[in-house]
Amino acid sequence: MPVSSLIDPALEDVRDLLDTGFEHGEMLTLVGKCAIDYDGRASSHLPPGERLVICKPDGTLLVHRDEQRKPVNWQPPGSTHSVCLDDDRLIVESVRSSPHEELEITFKTVAQASRLELDDMSELALEGSEEDLRQRILADPDILETGFNAMATERETSAGPIDIYGQDADGTPIAVELKRRRVGPDAVGQLNRYVEALERNRPDKSVRGILVAPSVTERAKQLLASEGLEFVSLTPDQADTA
């Protein structure tokens, strides 16, 4: 496991380390004082504080404080990361294309920066069920996305029952398809049929589709993008529903 770390580095050196890590598809960690601005379905600003930032090769970005297990800000898999210097500030930007969301992290100082080349091809053996996954989301809808409102389960459509039907913070309908294991194109096709069935009944309003599973294949990821559907990585963690 090759690791390259910088302690109390110059911001120029951090930029170079991040550029290399992004280019090579490595995991990157940053610890420092930063402010965070989000713009997407809503807007938010988090004033400067000392935080841990993790950038993963699959496009995931997490910002952690020194308490609680959930990140204070995050971007999902499939996002694109970049870094630049602006005078005496280091700016890390993460952009999600569909739906469009931007997260900008501005560092005045960095205490530690690391590149981690991890080798982990093991598959997670899951014990939970899709019902565990459903209950996890119903108990905490914000783990799907901030402002999600779950309105019905097993909502009937001409294409079959939708696992969870709800609305986002803007009132846009969402069809949520749940899978307990890694899935391929078939699950994307199933979700797309639900979205099309809902849109036939509501021609005046677009419908979002979100596939929820631990992971998806590369072909499924491509199909999600081409159909304008979304993916959220969650596992049916039974401990969260206790």
Side-chain angles (χ1 to χ4, degrees), residues 40-219:
R41 300 190 192 94
S43 296
S44 66
H45 172 73
L46 188 63
E50 294 180 348
R51 302 176 182 112
L52 165 66
V53 177
I54 304 171
C55 300
K56 298 186 178 182
D58 67 353
T60 302
L61 185 145
L62 305 169
V63 181
H64 282 282
R65 287 170 158 164
D66 63 350
E67 60 182 9
Q68 302 184 355
R69 65 181 180 84
K70 293 183 180 179
V72 65
N73 286 100
W74 64 283
Q75 287 280 72
S79 302
T80 301
H81 309 321
S82 61
V83 61
C84 69
L85 282 178
D86 181 11
D87 294 330
D88 59 346
R89 303 178 305 161
L90 179 85
I91 300 175
V92 177
E93 186 176 55
S94 180
V95 177
R96 181 189 190 188
S97 59
S98 180
H100 186 80
E101 295 179 286
E102 296 183 15
L103 193 67
E104 186 176 273
I105 307 171
T106 303
F107 286 91
K108 290 287 289 184
T109 59
V110 174
Q112 178 268 335
S114 295
R115 289 169 45 204
L116 311 170
E117 189 176 340
L118 304 182
D119 182 11
D120 183 2
M121 300 301 292
S122 300
E123 288 289 336
L124 179 65
L126 297 174
E127 299 297 333
S129 66
E130 288 178 10
E131 182 59 28
D132 293 324
L133 188 54
R134 188 201 319 270
Q135 292 303 321
R136 183 179 180 191
I137 294 171
L138 295 178
D140 185 7
D142 281 353
I143 65 173
L144 187 71
E145 68 174 43
T146 302
F148 176 66
N149 178 25
M151 302 172 66
T153 61
E154 299 298 325
R155 162 75 179 268
E156 286 293 340
T157 73
S158 58
I162 300 171
D163 287 331
I164 301 177
Y165 173 79
Q167 293 182 347
D168 64 18
D170 297 325
T172 302
I174 300 179
V176 181
E177 176 64 15
L178 306 175
K179 299 296 182 184
R180 64 185 291 267
R181 294 189 176 93
R182 178 178 174 87
V183 295
D186 287 350
V188 181
Q190 182 180 3
L191 174 61
N192 196 42
R193 290 191 293 274
Y194 294 151
V195 170
E196 290 176 345
L198 289 173
E199 289 181 334
R200 282 194 295 271
N201 292 329
R202 303 190 64 169
D204 61 323
K205 200 159 193 176
S206 62
V207 177
R208 293 172 54 198
I210 299 179
L211 177 62
V212 178
S215 62
V216 297
T217 64
E218 188 62 33
R219 176 64 185 129

Side-chain angles (χ1 to χ4, degrees), residues 18-28 55-58 115-118:
L18 293 181
D19 272 336
T20 301
F22 292 148
E23 180 182 351
H24 292 172
E26 298 169 328
M27 183 176 288
L28 300 161
C55 300
K56 298 186 178 182
D58 67 353
R115 289 169 45 204
L116 311 170
E117 189 176 340
L118 304 182

